[in-house]
Amino acid sequence: QSFKLLGFLDVQSVPCARESVLYGSLGSFVVGLGHFVATSRVRRSCDFAVGGFICTMLGYWFYCRYNLAQQRIRQRMLKEGMKNRMLFEGSYLDPEKKQTGNERSDS
């Protein structure tokens, strides 16, 4: 059974959504409580708590998605490198193959 935030964001299947909501709720609590302790104004503290939730959630969302995109790029590069290694292993294009004197003079 999935949990949908605002009726359309499936928190369990969308990467980074669960963590963003959890960090957003923690940020909401910290900002709201901090503002209440500082000013003792309940309504304004609730407004700050909602703002803290939105800012923290969006901030962590972008941070997590950026890291996820970088990880996917690294995985793609590693996969391509492994494919090239299998393809060129043992041939004259193999970068790890030791070059002899004749091959060095040709380059």
XYZ file of all heavy atoms in Angstrom:
857
model
N 0.850 -1.171 0.000
C 0.000 0.000 0.000
C 0.899 1.238 0.000
O 1.796 1.372 0.809
C -0.884 -0.022 1.229
C -1.975 0.983 1.181
C -2.913 0.815 2.360
O -2.637 0.094 3.291
N -4.034 1.497 2.307
N 0.654 2.118 -0.926
C 1.512 3.290 -1.070
C 0.875 4.502 -0.398
O -0.341 4.601 -0.258
C 1.772 3.589 -2.542
O 0.567 3.945 -3.182
N 1.750 5.415 -0.013
C 1.319 6.669 0.604
C 1.523 7.781 -0.409
O 2.621 7.991 -0.906
C 2.135 6.945 1.868
C 1.883 8.296 2.461
C 0.681 8.582 3.071
C 2.842 9.282 2.403
C 0.441 9.825 3.607
C 2.619 10.532 2.940
C 1.405 10.803 3.549
N 0.449 8.480 -0.755
C 0.545 9.568 -1.731
C 0.415 10.904 -1.009
O -0.571 11.163 -0.328
C -0.531 9.431 -2.799
C -0.312 8.209 -3.645
C -1.172 8.229 -4.868
C -0.902 6.980 -5.652
N -0.766 7.165 -7.025
N 1.440 11.729 -1.179
C 1.442 13.053 -0.573
C 0.726 14.009 -1.517
O 1.040 14.076 -2.698
C 2.882 13.513 -0.331
C 3.068 14.833 0.377
C 2.581 14.712 1.819
C 4.527 15.233 0.370
N -0.229 14.746 -1.016
C -1.062 15.677 -1.784
C -1.818 14.974 -2.908
O -2.220 15.597 -3.877
C -0.213 16.814 -2.362
C 0.528 17.676 -1.342
C 1.425 18.672 -2.056
C -0.444 18.396 -0.440
N -1.967 13.666 -2.815
C -2.750 12.910 -3.781
C -2.030 12.510 -5.051
O -2.556 11.754 -5.844
N -0.795 12.976 -5.279
C -0.133 12.618 -6.540
C 1.319 12.176 -6.370
O 1.849 11.502 -7.241
C -0.177 13.796 -7.523
C 0.584 15.007 -7.084
C 1.916 15.157 -7.409
C -0.034 15.994 -6.337
C 2.620 16.264 -7.002
C 0.656 17.108 -5.940
C 1.990 17.248 -6.268
N 1.989 12.516 -5.290
C 3.392 12.159 -5.113
C 3.480 10.862 -4.318
O 3.241 10.846 -3.115
C 4.147 13.280 -4.389
C 5.625 13.044 -4.128
C 6.385 12.886 -5.442
C 6.208 14.186 -3.326
N 3.793 9.766 -5.008
C 3.915 8.470 -4.357
C 5.249 8.422 -3.615
O 6.311 8.315 -4.216
C 3.837 7.348 -5.391
C 3.707 5.987 -4.754
O 3.563 5.913 -3.520
O 3.764 4.988 -5.492
N 5.179 8.518 -2.309
C 6.371 8.669 -1.479
C 7.242 7.419 -1.494
O 8.460 7.509 -1.412
C 5.961 9.044 -0.035
C 7.156 9.093 0.885
C 5.250 10.376 -0.037
N 6.655 6.243 -1.646
C 7.438 5.012 -1.591
C 8.185 4.720 -2.880
O 9.273 4.164 -2.855
C 6.542 3.827 -1.247
C 6.081 3.855 0.194
C 5.224 2.671 0.540
O 4.627 2.048 -0.331
N 5.144 2.356 1.817
N 7.648 5.086 -4.020
C 8.288 4.703 -5.277
C 9.145 5.808 -5.892
O 10.014 5.509 -6.706
C 7.235 4.255 -6.292
O 6.393 5.333 -6.619
N 8.941 7.056 -5.532
C 9.725 8.154 -6.091
C 11.019 8.287 -5.290
O 10.973 8.417 -4.063
C 8.931 9.486 -6.043
C 9.781 10.633 -6.516
C 7.677 9.371 -6.875
N 12.183 8.246 -5.970
C 13.444 8.380 -5.225
C 13.522 9.734 -4.522
O 13.107 10.756 -5.057
C 14.517 8.288 -6.312
C 13.849 7.689 -7.488
C 12.406 8.031 -7.383
N 14.029 9.729 -3.324
C 14.257 10.910 -2.491
C 12.989 11.502 -1.882
O 13.085 12.431 -1.071
C 14.991 12.008 -3.255
S 16.599 11.523 -3.867
N 11.820 11.035 -2.228
C 10.587 11.640 -1.716
C 10.406 11.361 -0.228
O 10.073 12.270 0.539
C 9.384 11.135 -2.499
N 10.638 10.128 0.185
C 10.448 9.762 1.589
C 11.373 10.562 2.496
O 10.940 11.142 3.493
C 10.685 8.273 1.773
C 10.521 7.801 3.190
C 10.749 6.287 3.286
N 10.661 5.842 4.646
C 11.695 5.743 5.476
N 12.900 6.048 5.055
N 11.529 5.332 6.709
N 12.660 10.602 2.131
C 13.627 11.321 2.949
C 13.321 12.816 2.981
O 13.488 13.473 4.008
C 15.043 11.093 2.429
C 15.547 9.673 2.617
C 15.130 8.747 1.490
O 14.505 9.238 0.523
O 15.411 7.550 1.574
N 12.876 13.351 1.857
C 12.548 14.778 1.807
C 11.396 15.119 2.742
O 11.441 16.130 3.449
C 12.177 15.186 0.382
O 13.264 15.033 -0.476
N 10.378 14.277 2.770
C 9.236 14.520 3.654
C 9.657 14.396 5.113
O 9.269 15.213 5.961
C 8.077 13.555 3.319
C 6.977 13.635 4.370
C 7.519 13.865 1.948
N 10.490 13.392 5.411
C 10.938 13.222 6.800
C 11.809 14.390 7.265
O 11.618 14.916 8.367
C 11.699 11.901 6.942
C 10.844 10.642 6.841
C 11.726 9.405 6.864
C 9.832 10.584 7.960
N 12.769 14.798 6.438
C 13.605 15.942 6.811
C 12.781 17.227 6.847
O 13.039 18.113 7.665
C 14.789 16.096 5.855
C 15.916 15.137 6.155
C 16.312 14.194 5.225
C 16.587 15.179 7.369
C 17.351 13.316 5.487
C 17.619 14.307 7.652
C 17.997 13.374 6.711
O 19.018 12.507 6.986
N 11.799 17.349 5.963
C 10.930 18.517 5.981
C 10.126 18.615 7.258
O 9.976 19.695 7.834
N 9.614 17.479 7.738
C 8.846 17.503 8.988
C 9.751 17.822 10.175
O 9.346 18.546 11.092
C 8.119 16.175 9.194
O 9.057 15.122 9.278
N 10.982 17.320 10.147
C 11.920 17.650 11.217
C 12.271 19.145 11.172
O 12.300 19.815 12.210
C 13.187 16.810 11.097
C 14.266 17.058 12.146
C 13.759 16.650 13.514
C 15.523 16.304 11.785
N 12.503 19.664 9.990
C 12.783 21.098 9.845
C 11.609 21.946 10.281
O 11.786 23.011 10.892
N 10.413 21.491 9.975
C 9.204 22.198 10.388
C 9.112 22.281 11.903
O 8.843 23.343 12.477
C 7.983 21.464 9.832
O 6.807 21.939 10.407
N 9.370 21.164 12.549
C 9.303 21.123 14.006
C 10.349 22.046 14.635
O 10.043 22.824 15.540
C 9.503 19.681 14.493
C 9.490 19.540 15.978
C 8.309 19.628 16.690
C 10.673 19.330 16.683
C 8.293 19.507 18.072
C 10.675 19.210 18.052
C 9.482 19.295 18.757
N 11.571 21.988 14.120
C 12.656 22.800 14.683
C 12.390 24.292 14.482
O 12.520 25.090 15.417
C 14.014 22.394 14.058
C 15.101 23.394 14.401
C 14.404 21.006 14.516
N 11.995 24.685 13.276
C 11.756 26.104 12.997
C 10.546 26.611 13.777
O 10.594 27.698 14.384
C 11.567 26.338 11.477
C 11.075 27.741 11.188
C 12.866 26.068 10.746
N 9.466 25.840 13.795
C 8.261 26.264 14.525
C 8.498 26.371 16.017
O 8.109 27.363 16.652
N 9.165 25.379 16.582
C 9.438 25.407 18.012
C 10.421 26.525 18.359
O 10.239 27.236 19.358
C 9.986 24.060 18.483
C 10.211 23.915 19.985
C 8.880 23.992 20.726
C 10.919 22.608 20.279
N 11.431 26.702 17.523
C 12.389 27.777 17.763
C 11.743 29.146 17.729
O 12.025 30.007 18.567
N 10.857 29.351 16.755
C 10.168 30.648 16.675
C 9.218 30.836 17.850
O 9.090 31.937 18.392
C 9.408 30.755 15.354
C 8.877 32.133 15.093
N 7.627 32.530 15.527
C 9.429 33.202 14.478
C 7.424 33.782 15.174
N 8.517 34.220 14.529
N 8.551 29.761 18.282
C 7.638 29.864 19.427
C 8.400 30.185 20.712
O 7.961 31.020 21.520
C 6.842 28.578 19.603
C 5.938 28.615 20.796
C 4.780 29.369 20.776
C 6.260 27.911 21.940
C 3.946 29.426 21.885
C 5.437 27.960 23.058
C 4.283 28.714 23.025
N 9.540 29.545 20.910
C 10.341 29.806 22.111
C 10.846 31.243 22.104
O 10.906 31.899 23.147
C 11.511 28.793 22.210
C 12.535 29.221 23.250
C 10.983 27.405 22.528
N 11.191 31.752 20.921
C 11.723 33.109 20.833
C 10.642 34.179 20.993
O 10.893 35.219 21.593
C 12.451 33.297 19.505
N 9.429 33.921 20.450
C 8.424 34.989 20.419
C 7.146 34.696 21.195
O 6.381 35.623 21.485
C 8.018 35.285 18.965
O 7.403 34.120 18.416
C 9.205 35.707 18.142
N 6.844 33.447 21.497
C 5.607 33.014 22.175
C 4.353 33.362 21.386
O 3.282 33.553 21.946
C 5.505 33.610 23.590
O 6.562 33.164 24.386
N 4.462 33.446 20.073
C 3.295 33.704 19.221
C 2.967 32.412 18.474
O 3.714 31.967 17.611
C 3.607 34.823 18.231
C 3.852 36.165 18.938
C 4.268 37.245 17.999
N 3.199 37.542 17.050
C 3.355 38.289 15.973
N 4.540 38.829 15.700
N 2.355 38.517 15.159
N 1.812 31.821 18.802
C 1.459 30.507 18.293
C 1.159 30.540 16.796
O 1.704 29.734 16.028
C 0.243 29.934 19.071
C -0.176 28.600 18.494
C 0.577 29.791 20.540
N 0.300 31.446 16.386
C -0.100 31.472 14.973
C 1.090 31.761 14.059
O 1.265 31.111 13.022
C -1.197 32.507 14.762
C -1.732 32.528 13.364
C -2.882 33.529 13.258
N -3.314 33.671 11.897
C -4.348 33.036 11.370
N -5.047 32.212 12.107
N -4.685 33.235 10.114
N 1.892 32.723 14.428
C 3.067 33.066 13.611
C 4.080 31.915 13.608
O 4.726 31.654 12.600
C 3.697 34.341 14.181
C 4.784 34.915 13.368
C 4.229 35.711 12.227
N 5.314 36.450 11.612
C 5.306 36.861 10.392
N 4.253 36.657 9.644
N 6.316 37.513 9.893
N 4.201 31.209 14.718
C 5.101 30.060 14.789
C 4.637 28.943 13.862
O 5.455 28.267 13.241
C 5.204 29.537 16.217
O 5.764 30.514 17.051
N 3.328 28.754 13.750
C 2.792 27.754 12.817
C 3.089 28.154 11.376
O 3.408 27.296 10.542
C 1.293 27.577 13.027
S 0.886 26.765 14.574
N 2.994 29.433 11.088
C 3.343 29.908 9.746
C 4.811 29.645 9.439
O 5.166 29.194 8.344
C 3.040 31.402 9.609
C 1.559 31.717 9.672
O 0.748 30.792 9.463
O 1.212 32.890 9.931
N 5.663 29.923 10.407
C 7.089 29.655 10.228
C 7.356 28.154 10.077
O 8.243 27.742 9.336
C 7.898 30.221 11.400
C 8.369 31.619 11.177
C 7.519 32.696 11.360
C 9.661 31.854 10.769
C 7.930 33.981 11.147
C 10.103 33.151 10.553
C 9.238 34.223 10.742
N 6.583 27.321 10.802
C 6.752 25.876 10.713
C 6.411 25.379 9.302
O 7.120 24.541 8.739
C 5.877 25.173 11.751
N 5.347 25.908 8.715
C 4.981 25.521 7.351
C 6.061 25.966 6.370
O 6.462 25.208 5.480
C 3.599 26.102 6.967
C 3.325 25.918 5.492
C 2.509 25.467 7.798
N 6.560 27.175 6.547
C 7.643 27.660 5.699
C 8.904 26.831 5.868
O 9.608 26.528 4.902
N 9.198 26.445 7.107
C 10.357 25.590 7.367
C 10.212 24.234 6.718
O 11.184 23.665 6.197
N 8.984 23.679 6.729
C 8.742 22.397 6.077
C 9.003 22.495 4.576
O 9.711 21.663 4.004
C 7.300 21.943 6.321
C 6.935 20.702 5.571
C 7.359 19.463 6.006
C 6.164 20.776 4.423
C 7.034 18.317 5.311
C 5.829 19.641 3.715
C 6.263 18.398 4.166
N 8.466 23.526 3.952
C 8.611 23.679 2.505
C 10.074 23.888 2.123
O 10.597 23.232 1.214
C 7.722 24.826 1.993
C 6.246 24.447 2.135
C 8.046 25.171 0.553
C 5.279 25.577 1.886
N 10.745 24.773 2.839
C 12.152 25.062 2.514
C 13.050 23.846 2.734
O 13.893 23.521 1.894
C 12.653 26.238 3.339
S 11.927 27.808 2.873
N 12.868 23.171 3.868
C 13.697 22.008 4.163
C 13.414 20.871 3.190
O 14.343 20.224 2.696
C 13.451 21.529 5.608
O 13.603 22.616 6.492
C 14.412 20.425 5.986
N 12.144 20.643 2.903
C 11.786 19.562 1.999
C 12.340 19.819 0.596
O 12.959 18.938 -0.006
C 10.276 19.377 1.925
C 9.880 18.158 1.100
S 8.114 17.909 0.985
C 7.691 19.118 -0.233
N 12.150 21.016 0.077
C 12.653 21.325 -1.263
C 14.182 21.332 -1.301
O 14.785 20.859 -2.274
C 12.100 22.658 -1.743
C 10.631 22.667 -2.126
C 10.196 24.074 -2.513
C 10.348 21.690 -3.238
N 14.805 21.852 -0.258
C 16.264 21.863 -0.203
C 16.835 20.461 -0.226
O 17.761 20.162 -0.996
N 16.293 19.566 0.603
C 16.806 18.198 0.609
C 16.427 17.462 -0.670
O 17.190 16.625 -1.148
C 16.296 17.422 1.825
C 16.982 16.079 1.924
C 18.283 15.988 2.399
C 16.350 14.919 1.481
C 18.929 14.778 2.443
C 17.002 13.706 1.529
C 18.292 13.645 2.012
O 18.939 12.438 2.048
N 15.276 17.763 -1.251
C 14.855 17.140 -2.501
C 15.875 17.414 -3.612
O 16.329 16.504 -4.293
C 13.480 17.656 -2.898
C 13.036 17.239 -4.258
C 13.216 17.912 -5.428
C 12.343 16.042 -4.598
N 12.676 17.219 -6.467
C 12.133 16.065 -5.997
C 11.875 14.957 -3.871
C 11.477 15.040 -6.652
C 11.227 13.947 -4.532
C 11.035 13.992 -5.904
N 16.244 18.696 -3.779
C 17.199 19.046 -4.827
C 18.584 18.459 -4.540
O 19.266 17.997 -5.449
C 17.272 20.561 -5.017
C 16.048 21.120 -5.678
C 15.289 22.082 -5.049
C 15.653 20.672 -6.922
C 14.154 22.589 -5.653
C 14.517 21.180 -7.541
C 13.766 22.140 -6.903
N 18.995 18.478 -3.274
C 20.285 17.900 -2.896
C 20.321 16.406 -3.206
O 21.279 15.901 -3.807
C 20.524 18.144 -1.400
C 21.681 17.393 -0.825
C 22.989 17.796 -1.075
C 21.486 16.274 -0.031
C 24.066 17.101 -0.544
C 22.539 15.579 0.501
C 23.832 15.991 0.240
O 24.885 15.295 0.769
N 19.283 15.698 -2.838
C 19.231 14.253 -3.051
C 19.146 13.914 -4.536
O 19.816 12.996 -5.012
C 18.033 13.677 -2.300
S 17.898 11.883 -2.388
N 18.334 14.641 -5.291
C 18.206 14.370 -6.726
C 19.505 14.666 -7.470
O 19.860 13.959 -8.409
C 17.056 15.185 -7.325
C 15.693 14.809 -6.800
C 15.311 13.414 -7.125
N 14.945 13.303 -8.519
C 14.287 12.291 -9.041
N 13.917 11.289 -8.292
N 14.021 12.260 -10.317
N 20.219 15.706 -7.052
C 21.508 16.024 -7.661
C 22.503 14.886 -7.417
O 23.198 14.450 -8.334
C 22.037 17.339 -7.078
C 23.397 17.728 -7.596
C 23.550 18.238 -8.876
C 24.522 17.581 -6.805
C 24.799 18.594 -9.356
C 25.773 17.936 -7.271
C 25.902 18.440 -8.548
O 27.135 18.781 -9.011
N 22.563 14.396 -6.175
C 23.455 13.281 -5.867
C 23.045 12.013 -6.610
O 23.904 11.243 -7.049
C 23.491 13.016 -4.364
C 24.303 14.033 -3.628
O 25.142 14.713 -4.215
N 24.056 14.166 -2.341
N 21.759 11.790 -6.757
C 21.278 10.625 -7.489
C 21.662 10.711 -8.966
O 22.084 9.716 -9.564
C 19.759 10.505 -7.341
C 19.104 9.271 -7.922
C 19.579 8.023 -7.180
C 17.593 9.383 -7.835
N 21.556 11.890 -9.558
C 21.952 12.064 -10.959
C 23.453 11.850 -11.125
O 23.888 11.209 -12.086
C 21.567 13.463 -11.442
N 24.262 12.355 -10.195
C 25.706 12.132 -10.267
C 26.044 10.657 -10.139
O 26.921 10.149 -10.839
C 26.424 12.918 -9.174
C 26.620 14.360 -9.489
C 27.525 15.020 -8.470
O 27.631 14.585 -7.331
N 28.178 16.078 -8.901
N 25.349 9.955 -9.260
C 25.588 8.527 -9.078
C 25.233 7.758 -10.350
O 25.961 6.848 -10.758
C 24.765 8.011 -7.903
C 24.966 6.543 -7.632
C 24.091 6.055 -6.493
O 23.194 6.755 -6.029
N 24.336 4.849 -6.051
N 24.147 8.125 -10.995
C 23.766 7.449 -12.243
C 24.779 7.716 -13.353
O 25.075 6.825 -14.156
C 22.378 7.893 -12.680
C 21.301 7.305 -11.816
C 19.924 7.733 -12.259
N 18.909 7.123 -11.415
C 17.658 7.481 -11.411
N 17.234 8.460 -12.195
N 16.792 6.883 -10.619
N 25.327 8.935 -13.407
C 26.350 9.252 -14.399
C 27.599 8.417 -14.148
O 28.189 7.854 -15.074
C 26.672 10.762 -14.382
C 25.501 11.546 -14.959
C 27.948 11.062 -15.162
C 25.611 13.045 -14.762
N 28.020 8.312 -12.869
C 29.191 7.493 -12.538
C 28.960 6.032 -12.887
O 29.857 5.351 -13.389
C 29.539 7.641 -11.063
C 30.223 8.945 -10.724
C 30.804 8.926 -9.321
N 29.817 8.717 -8.288
C 29.182 9.684 -7.635
N 29.443 10.941 -7.910
N 28.299 9.397 -6.701
N 27.749 5.522 -12.628
C 27.437 4.134 -12.960
C 27.484 3.912 -14.468
O 27.993 2.894 -14.941
C 26.059 3.753 -12.425
C 26.023 3.533 -10.947
C 24.627 3.226 -10.453
O 23.627 3.482 -11.121
N 24.543 2.695 -9.235
N 26.957 4.867 -15.234
C 26.987 4.752 -16.691
C 28.423 4.758 -17.218
O 28.768 3.983 -18.103
C 26.175 5.881 -17.307
C 25.854 5.672 -18.760
C 24.900 6.721 -19.297
N 24.134 7.361 -18.242
C 23.824 8.636 -18.214
N 24.199 9.437 -19.176
N 23.126 9.156 -17.223
N 29.265 5.650 -16.659
C 30.663 5.713 -17.081
C 31.396 4.422 -16.727
O 32.190 3.910 -17.528
C 31.363 6.904 -16.435
C 30.933 8.241 -16.995
S 31.589 9.650 -16.104
C 33.323 9.353 -16.168
N 31.129 3.869 -15.543
C 31.754 2.622 -15.128
C 31.314 1.469 -16.018
O 32.131 0.639 -16.434
C 31.418 2.332 -13.669
C 32.053 1.109 -13.050
C 33.573 1.255 -13.027
C 31.528 0.898 -11.640
N 30.033 1.430 -16.344
C 29.511 0.383 -17.217
C 30.148 0.465 -18.604
O 30.546 -0.550 -19.185
C 27.989 0.527 -17.322
C 27.304 -0.586 -18.039
C 25.797 -0.353 -17.986
C 25.040 -1.429 -18.674
N 23.598 -1.198 -18.649
N 30.274 1.689 -19.130
C 30.905 1.888 -20.435
C 32.385 1.501 -20.389
O 32.899 0.873 -21.311
C 30.765 3.351 -20.851
C 31.229 3.644 -22.257
C 30.310 3.077 -23.313
O 29.116 2.860 -23.032
O 30.797 2.837 -24.430
N 33.065 1.851 -19.299
C 34.473 1.491 -19.154
C 34.679 -0.004 -19.075
O 35.627 -0.547 -19.659
N 33.802 -0.685 -18.376
C 33.912 -2.144 -18.289
C 33.657 -2.783 -19.649
O 34.321 -3.753 -20.026
C 32.931 -2.678 -17.242
C 33.330 -2.338 -15.828
S 32.090 -2.757 -14.597
C 31.968 -4.508 -14.786
N 32.703 -2.248 -20.388
C 32.426 -2.770 -21.729
C 33.625 -2.563 -22.643
O 34.026 -3.457 -23.391
C 31.183 -2.096 -22.307
C 30.739 -2.684 -23.641
C 29.513 -1.979 -24.139
C 29.979 -0.777 -24.914
N 28.928 -0.069 -25.604
N 34.237 -1.363 -22.575
C 35.411 -1.084 -23.400
C 36.596 -1.952 -23.002
O 37.369 -2.376 -23.846
C 35.794 0.392 -23.310
C 34.832 1.272 -24.068
O 34.116 0.814 -24.949
N 34.805 2.542 -23.713
N 36.745 -2.214 -21.715
C 37.850 -3.059 -21.271
C 37.703 -4.456 -21.839
O 38.679 -5.050 -22.308
C 37.912 -3.097 -19.752
C 39.026 -4.007 -19.265
C 39.283 -3.785 -17.788
N 40.197 -4.771 -17.278
C 41.515 -4.634 -17.302
N 42.049 -3.560 -17.818
N 42.283 -5.567 -16.803
N 36.504 -4.995 -21.798
C 36.290 -6.336 -22.360
C 36.499 -6.323 -23.866
O 37.016 -7.271 -24.439
C 34.877 -6.829 -22.026
C 34.687 -7.170 -20.579
S 33.129 -7.985 -20.187
C 31.917 -6.956 -20.951
N 36.118 -5.230 -24.510
C 36.225 -5.141 -25.958
C 37.674 -5.020 -26.412
O 38.083 -5.663 -27.381
C 35.410 -3.935 -26.446
C 35.303 -3.724 -27.947
C 34.531 -4.869 -28.578
C 34.607 -2.407 -28.223
N 38.481 -4.195 -25.716
C 39.839 -3.904 -26.159
C 40.913 -4.744 -25.472
O 42.082 -4.596 -25.783
C 40.163 -2.426 -25.941
C 39.297 -1.509 -26.759
C 38.688 -0.421 -26.181
C 39.100 -1.741 -28.109
C 37.888 0.425 -26.923
C 38.308 -0.904 -28.868
C 37.700 0.181 -28.272
N 40.537 -5.597 -24.530
C 41.527 -6.353 -23.779
C 42.326 -7.275 -24.700
O 41.759 -8.055 -25.467
C 40.847 -7.167 -22.685
C 41.799 -7.786 -21.712
C 41.071 -8.394 -20.529
O 39.894 -8.731 -20.663
O 41.707 -8.523 -19.483
N 43.626 -7.138 -24.651
C 44.506 -7.982 -25.462
C 44.797 -7.421 -26.835
O 45.660 -7.928 -27.541
N 44.114 -6.375 -27.247
C 44.364 -5.808 -28.568
C 45.402 -4.690 -28.460
O 45.848 -4.324 -27.379
C 43.071 -5.258 -29.172
O 42.667 -4.101 -28.484
N 45.777 -4.126 -29.576
C 46.756 -3.039 -29.563
C 46.164 -1.754 -28.968
O 46.882 -0.833 -28.621
C 47.305 -2.771 -30.971
C 46.306 -2.128 -31.911
C 46.262 -0.748 -32.068
C 45.414 -2.895 -32.638
C 45.353 -0.150 -32.920
C 44.500 -2.314 -33.485
C 44.477 -0.938 -33.631
O 43.582 -0.347 -34.471
N 44.850 -1.681 -28.822
C 44.205 -0.511 -28.226
C 44.138 -0.585 -26.698
O 43.724 0.384 -26.060
C 42.789 -0.354 -28.773
C 42.690 -0.066 -30.276
C 41.243 -0.118 -30.714
C 43.303 1.273 -30.602
N 44.560 -1.710 -26.129
C 44.503 -1.891 -24.683
C 45.495 -0.940 -24.015
O 46.695 -1.022 -24.253
C 44.842 -3.330 -24.322
C 44.603 -3.646 -22.857
O 44.112 -2.766 -22.139
O 44.904 -4.784 -22.443
N 45.035 -0.010 -23.162
C 45.957 0.950 -22.543
C 46.906 0.302 -21.541
O 47.954 0.857 -21.233
C 45.032 1.952 -21.853
C 43.737 1.261 -21.712
C 43.651 0.231 -22.802
N 46.566 -0.858 -21.015
C 47.419 -1.510 -20.028
C 48.446 -2.433 -20.661
O 49.317 -2.940 -19.970
C 46.560 -2.295 -19.034
C 45.716 -1.394 -18.159
C 44.938 -2.171 -17.119
O 45.131 -3.399 -17.018
O 44.144 -1.548 -16.416
N 48.347 -2.645 -21.956
C 49.295 -3.522 -22.647
C 50.646 -2.819 -22.717
O 50.740 -1.656 -23.077
C 48.786 -3.839 -24.051
C 49.617 -4.836 -24.792
C 48.989 -5.128 -26.135
C 49.877 -6.064 -26.929
N 49.333 -6.291 -28.248
N 51.690 -3.537 -22.375
C 53.021 -2.938 -22.385
C 53.474 -2.733 -23.818
O 53.320 -3.596 -24.671
C 54.002 -3.837 -21.654
C 53.654 -4.021 -20.200
C 54.852 -4.416 -19.435
C 54.460 -4.790 -18.038
N 54.565 -3.855 -17.073
N 54.004 -1.527 -24.067
C 54.452 -1.200 -25.414
C 55.917 -1.586 -25.568
O 56.727 -1.393 -24.664
C 54.281 0.294 -25.680
C 52.833 0.731 -25.671
C 52.699 2.222 -25.917
O 53.679 2.947 -25.870
N 51.485 2.651 -26.175
N 56.268 -2.108 -26.740
C 57.659 -2.438 -27.037
C 58.323 -1.224 -27.667
O 57.687 -0.222 -27.950
C 57.746 -3.636 -27.999
O 57.094 -3.287 -29.222
C 57.085 -4.859 -27.390
N 59.611 -1.307 -27.928
C 60.350 -0.194 -28.509
C 59.828 0.200 -29.866
O 59.779 1.392 -30.217
N 59.449 -0.752 -30.724
C 58.949 -0.433 -32.079
C 57.626 0.322 -32.014
O 57.396 1.237 -32.797
C 58.775 -1.715 -32.902
C 60.099 -2.356 -33.242
O 61.134 -1.677 -33.234
N 60.080 -3.645 -33.535
N 56.745 -0.065 -31.107
C 55.455 0.605 -31.005
C 55.615 2.032 -30.477
O 54.879 2.919 -30.858
C 54.519 -0.194 -30.091
C 54.106 -1.524 -30.689
C 53.286 -2.354 -29.705
O 53.096 -1.886 -28.575
O 52.847 -3.429 -30.079
N 56.581 2.239 -29.601
C 56.804 3.590 -29.065
C 57.323 4.528 -30.133
O 56.960 5.683 -30.168
C 57.789 3.536 -27.906
C 57.205 2.966 -26.663
C 58.182 3.061 -25.520
N 57.670 2.336 -24.385
C 58.405 1.912 -23.391
N 59.701 2.143 -23.373
N 57.876 1.263 -22.390
N 58.171 4.042 -31.003
C 58.731 4.920 -32.043
C 57.687 5.266 -33.091
O 57.752 6.318 -33.721
C 59.946 4.266 -32.713
O 59.551 3.080 -33.372
N 56.702 4.391 -33.320
C 55.655 4.666 -34.293
C 54.713 5.755 -33.800
O 54.156 6.506 -34.572
C 54.852 3.396 -34.588
C 55.654 2.370 -35.367
O 56.677 2.774 -35.946
O 55.269 1.193 -35.367
N 54.520 5.874 -32.483
C 53.550 6.824 -31.930
C 54.032 8.236 -31.989
O 55.109 8.612 -31.924
C 53.219 6.479 -30.485
O 52.625 5.200 -30.453
